[in-house]
Amino acid sequence: MTGFLVWFTGLPGAGKTTLSQLLAGELTQQFMRTEVLDGDVIRDRLSKGLGFGRRDRDENIRRIAFVAELLTRHDIHVIVAAVSPYRAVRNEVRSAHPGRFIEVFVDCPKDVLIARDPKGLYRKALAGEIQQFTGVSDPYEPPLNPEIHVHTDEQSPAATVQSIVEWLSRNGFLNGVAAALDGRS
Ligand SMILES: Nc1ncnc2c1ncn2[C@@H]1O[C@H](COP(=O)(O)OP(=O)(O)O)[C@@H](O)[C@H]1O
Ligand SMILES: [Mg+2]
Protein backbone atom coordinates (compact mmCIF):
# COMPACT_ATOMS: atom_id res chain seq x y z
CA MET A 1 0.00 0.00 0.00
CA THR A 2 1.11 3.53 -0.70
CA GLY A 3 1.26 6.31 1.86
CA PHE A 4 -0.98 9.34 1.67
CA LEU A 5 0.07 12.96 1.46
CA VAL A 6 -1.53 15.56 3.71
CA TRP A 7 -0.66 18.99 2.38
CA PHE A 8 -1.14 21.99 4.67
CA THR A 9 -1.27 25.25 2.74
CA GLY A 10 -2.00 28.71 4.11
CA LEU A 11 -0.59 32.08 5.00
CA PRO A 12 2.41 32.46 7.34
CA GLY A 13 1.31 32.00 10.94
CA ALA A 14 -1.96 30.29 9.99
CA GLY A 15 -0.96 27.13 11.89
CA LYS A 16 0.59 24.74 9.35
CA THR A 17 3.60 23.75 11.45
CA THR A 18 1.58 23.44 14.65
CA LEU A 19 -1.05 21.25 13.00
CA SER A 20 1.47 19.10 11.12
CA GLN A 21 3.31 18.26 14.36
CA LEU A 22 0.10 17.42 16.19
CA LEU A 23 -1.20 15.33 13.30
CA ALA A 24 2.10 13.44 13.05
CA GLY A 25 1.77 12.64 16.77
CA GLU A 26 -1.74 11.31 16.26
CA LEU A 27 -0.79 9.12 13.30
CA THR A 28 2.29 7.79 15.07
CA GLN A 29 0.08 6.80 18.01
CA GLN A 30 -1.97 4.79 15.52
CA PHE A 31 1.20 2.93 14.49
CA MET A 32 1.34 4.69 11.12
CA ARG A 33 4.78 5.54 9.80
CA THR A 34 4.78 9.30 9.29
CA GLU A 35 7.20 11.99 8.17
CA VAL A 36 6.76 15.76 8.28
CA LEU A 37 8.25 17.97 5.59
CA ASP A 38 8.15 21.53 6.90
CA GLY A 39 8.72 24.38 4.48
CA ASP A 40 11.01 26.24 6.86
CA VAL A 41 13.24 23.19 7.39
CA ILE A 42 13.25 22.35 3.68
CA ARG A 43 14.29 25.89 2.82
CA ASP A 44 17.13 25.63 5.29
CA ARG A 45 18.38 22.33 3.80
CA LEU A 46 17.09 20.94 0.52
CA SER A 47 16.09 24.32 -0.94
CA LYS A 48 18.84 26.46 0.54
CA GLY A 49 19.50 29.40 -1.76
CA LEU A 50 16.10 29.45 -3.40
CA GLY A 51 14.33 32.80 -3.34
CA PHE A 52 10.73 33.91 -3.08
CA GLY A 53 9.84 34.72 -6.68
CA ARG A 54 7.27 32.47 -8.29
CA ARG A 55 9.81 30.33 -10.12
CA ASP A 56 11.78 29.53 -6.94
CA ARG A 57 8.66 29.04 -4.85
CA ASP A 58 7.38 26.53 -7.41
CA GLU A 59 10.77 24.82 -7.52
CA ASN A 60 10.68 24.52 -3.73
CA ILE A 61 7.26 22.85 -3.91
CA ARG A 62 8.41 20.44 -6.62
CA ARG A 63 11.39 19.41 -4.46
CA ILE A 64 9.11 18.79 -1.49
CA ALA A 65 6.75 16.81 -3.72
CA PHE A 66 9.64 14.73 -5.04
CA VAL A 67 10.74 13.73 -1.53
CA ALA A 68 7.13 13.08 -0.59
CA GLU A 69 6.81 10.74 -3.54
CA LEU A 70 9.90 8.77 -2.50
CA LEU A 71 8.55 8.38 1.02
CA THR A 72 4.93 7.53 0.15
CA ARG A 73 6.20 4.88 -2.25
CA HIS A 74 7.52 3.09 0.84
CA ASP A 75 4.24 3.29 2.70
CA ILE A 76 5.23 6.28 4.77
CA HIS A 77 2.52 8.88 5.25
CA VAL A 78 3.79 12.35 4.54
CA ILE A 79 2.59 15.60 6.04
CA VAL A 80 3.73 18.78 4.31
CA ALA A 81 3.54 22.18 6.00
CA ALA A 82 4.40 24.81 3.42
CA VAL A 83 2.81 28.13 2.43
CA SER A 84 2.68 26.84 -1.17
CA PRO A 85 0.96 29.98 -2.43
CA TYR A 86 0.37 28.99 -6.05
CA ARG A 87 -2.63 26.88 -7.00
CA ALA A 88 -1.18 25.50 -10.22
CA VAL A 89 1.80 23.74 -8.66
CA ARG A 90 -0.36 22.42 -5.80
CA ASN A 91 -2.66 20.91 -8.42
CA GLU A 92 0.37 19.47 -10.17
CA VAL A 93 1.24 17.62 -6.95
CA ARG A 94 -2.39 16.51 -6.60
CA SER A 95 -2.27 14.97 -10.08
CA ALA A 96 0.90 13.06 -9.19
CA HIS A 97 -0.82 11.43 -6.18
CA PRO A 98 -4.27 10.45 -7.43
CA GLY A 99 -6.64 9.61 -4.57
CA ARG A 100 -3.91 10.10 -1.97
CA PHE A 101 -3.45 13.89 -1.92
CA ILE A 102 -5.31 15.59 0.89
CA GLU A 103 -5.13 19.35 0.64
CA VAL A 104 -5.82 21.11 3.92
CA PHE A 105 -6.51 24.82 3.62
CA VAL A 106 -5.33 26.35 6.90
CA ASP A 107 -7.43 29.47 6.88
CA CYS A 108 -7.23 32.44 9.24
CA PRO A 109 -8.18 36.10 8.70
CA LYS A 110 -5.27 38.41 8.16
CA ASP A 111 -6.05 40.67 11.12
CA VAL A 112 -5.79 37.64 13.41
CA LEU A 113 -2.49 36.62 11.80
CA ILE A 114 -1.10 40.11 12.27
CA ALA A 115 -2.16 40.05 15.92
CA ARG A 116 -0.72 36.52 16.39
CA ASP A 117 2.55 37.10 14.56
CA PRO A 118 4.53 34.48 16.57
CA LYS A 119 7.77 35.18 14.68
CA GLY A 120 7.30 38.94 14.28
CA LEU A 121 7.37 38.53 10.51
CA TYR A 122 4.16 40.41 9.72
CA ARG A 123 5.44 43.41 11.65
CA LYS A 124 8.63 43.39 9.59
CA ALA A 125 6.81 42.78 6.32
CA LEU A 126 4.33 45.59 6.99
CA ALA A 127 7.24 47.88 7.84
CA GLY A 128 8.84 46.97 4.52
CA GLU A 129 11.79 45.22 6.17
CA ILE A 130 10.96 41.89 4.46
CA GLN A 131 10.11 41.77 0.76
CA GLN A 132 7.89 39.25 -1.04
CA PHE A 133 6.09 38.24 2.13
CA THR A 134 3.04 36.10 1.35
CA GLY A 135 -0.18 37.85 2.27
CA VAL A 136 1.45 41.26 2.58
CA SER A 137 3.57 41.85 -0.50
CA ASP A 138 3.29 38.54 -2.36
CA PRO A 139 0.21 36.65 -3.59
CA TYR A 140 -1.58 33.74 -1.98
CA GLU A 141 -4.03 31.73 -4.05
CA PRO A 142 -6.42 29.90 -1.72
CA PRO A 143 -7.49 26.38 -2.71
CA LEU A 144 -10.80 26.36 -4.58
CA ASN A 145 -11.77 22.85 -3.61
CA PRO A 146 -9.62 21.57 -0.74
CA GLU A 147 -10.36 18.18 0.81
CA ILE A 148 -10.33 19.88 4.22
CA HIS A 149 -10.83 23.53 5.17
CA VAL A 150 -10.00 24.55 8.73
CA HIS A 151 -10.42 27.94 10.40
CA THR A 152 -7.72 28.29 13.02
CA ASP A 153 -9.17 31.50 14.46
CA GLU A 154 -12.27 29.57 15.53
CA GLN A 155 -10.79 26.41 17.07
CA SER A 156 -7.87 25.35 19.25
CA PRO A 157 -5.02 23.45 17.59
CA ALA A 158 -6.15 20.23 19.33
CA ALA A 159 -9.75 20.59 18.11
CA THR A 160 -8.57 21.42 14.60
CA VAL A 161 -6.38 18.31 14.43
CA GLN A 162 -9.22 16.22 15.78
CA SER A 163 -11.43 17.37 12.91
CA ILE A 164 -8.69 16.40 10.45
CA VAL A 165 -8.25 12.97 12.05
CA GLU A 166 -12.00 12.46 11.82
CA TRP A 167 -11.96 13.36 8.14
CA LEU A 168 -9.12 10.89 7.52
CA SER A 169 -10.98 8.21 9.43
CA ARG A 170 -14.29 8.83 7.61
CA ASN A 171 -12.51 8.63 4.29
CA GLY A 172 -10.71 5.37 5.04
CA PHE A 173 -7.17 6.71 5.44
CA LEU A 174 -6.60 5.46 8.99
CA ASN A 175 -5.88 1.87 9.88
CA GLY A 176 -7.82 2.06 13.12
CA VAL A 177 -5.26 0.01 15.07
CA ALA A 178 -5.11 2.35 18.07
CA ALA A 179 -8.87 2.82 18.05
CA ALA A 180 -9.40 -0.94 18.02
CA LEU A 181 -6.86 -1.47 20.79
CA ASP A 182 -8.35 1.02 23.23
CA GLY A 183 -11.93 0.39 22.23
CA ARG A 184 -12.60 3.89 20.91
CA SER A 185 -13.87 2.63 17.58
N1 LIG B 1 -6.37 26.10 15.58
C1 LIG B 1 -5.08 26.41 15.51
N2 LIG B 1 -4.27 25.65 14.72
C2 LIG B 1 -2.96 25.94 14.61
N3 LIG B 1 -2.34 26.98 15.25
C3 LIG B 1 -3.08 27.76 16.04
C4 LIG B 1 -4.48 27.51 16.19
N4 LIG B 1 -4.97 28.45 17.04
C5 LIG B 1 -3.94 29.21 17.41
N5 LIG B 1 -2.79 28.82 16.82
C6 LIG B 1 -1.47 29.45 17.01
O1 LIG B 1 -1.08 30.06 15.77
C7 LIG B 1 0.32 29.97 15.58
C8 LIG B 1 0.61 29.25 14.27
O2 LIG B 1 1.99 29.23 14.01
P1 LIG B 1 2.66 28.17 13.02
O3 LIG B 1 2.11 26.82 13.28
O4 LIG B 1 4.14 28.36 13.11
O5 LIG B 1 2.11 28.71 11.61
P2 LIG B 1 2.68 28.42 10.14
O6 LIG B 1 3.50 27.17 10.18
O7 LIG B 1 1.43 28.30 9.32
O8 LIG B 1 3.47 29.64 9.76
C9 LIG B 1 0.89 29.22 16.79
O9 LIG B 1 1.34 30.18 17.71
C10 LIG B 1 -0.35 28.47 17.29
O10 LIG B 1 -0.28 28.20 18.67
MG1 LIG C 1 5.52 26.92 9.65
Side-chain angles (χ1 to χ4, degrees), residues 8 62 85 93 100 118 149 178 184:
F8 288 106
R62 292 194 179 102
V93 183
R100 300 182 287 109
H149 186 163
R184 274 190 293 150

Side-chain angles (χ1 to χ4, degrees), residues 9-20 22 38 40 81-83 106 108 113 116-119 121 150-161:
T9 172
L11 290 170
K16 303 176 298 298
T17 295
T18 303
L19 295 173
S20 65
L22 288 173
D38 192 285
D40 285 344
V83 176
V106 186
C108 188
L113 295 175
R116 241 181 221 177
D117 207 10
K119 297 180 193 158
L121 295 176
V150 296
H151 298 267
T152 64
D153 58 316
E154 295 172 359
Q155 281 187 308
S156 68
T160 310
V161 160

Side-chain angles (χ1 to χ4, degrees), residues 31-121:
F31 305 102
M32 299 170 79
R33 294 197 299 162
T34 306
E35 188 60 79
V36 174
L37 303 176
D38 192 285
D40 285 344
V41 179
I42 295 285
R43 274 193 173 272
D44 192 42
R45 310 295 294 257
L46 191 62
S47 292
K48 208 176 182 78
L50 287 186
F52 293 90
R54 179 167 187 156
R55 182 195 289 249
D56 278 10
R57 285 184 185 272
D58 283 352
E59 173 62 23
N60 181 47
I61 296 310
R62 292 194 179 102
R63 290 182 190 182
I64 294 173
F66 174 70
V67 176
E69 191 161 339
L70 296 180
L71 292 169
T72 56
R73 195 191 288 172
H74 295 282
D75 195 19
I76 295 167
H77 306 294
V78 176
I79 303 170
V80 171
V83 176
S84 30
Y86 294 110
R87 199 174 285 142
V89 75
R90 289 196 311 264
N91 286 338
E92 193 180 297
V93 183
R94 174 191 296 282
S95 305
H97 297 263
R100 300 182 287 109
F101 181 77
I102 300 143
E103 187 174 36
V104 184
F105 178 23
V106 186
D107 198 356
C108 188
K110 219 175 288 180
D111 56 323
V112 176
L113 295 175
I114 290 168
R116 241 181 221 177
D117 207 10
K119 297 180 193 158
L121 295 176

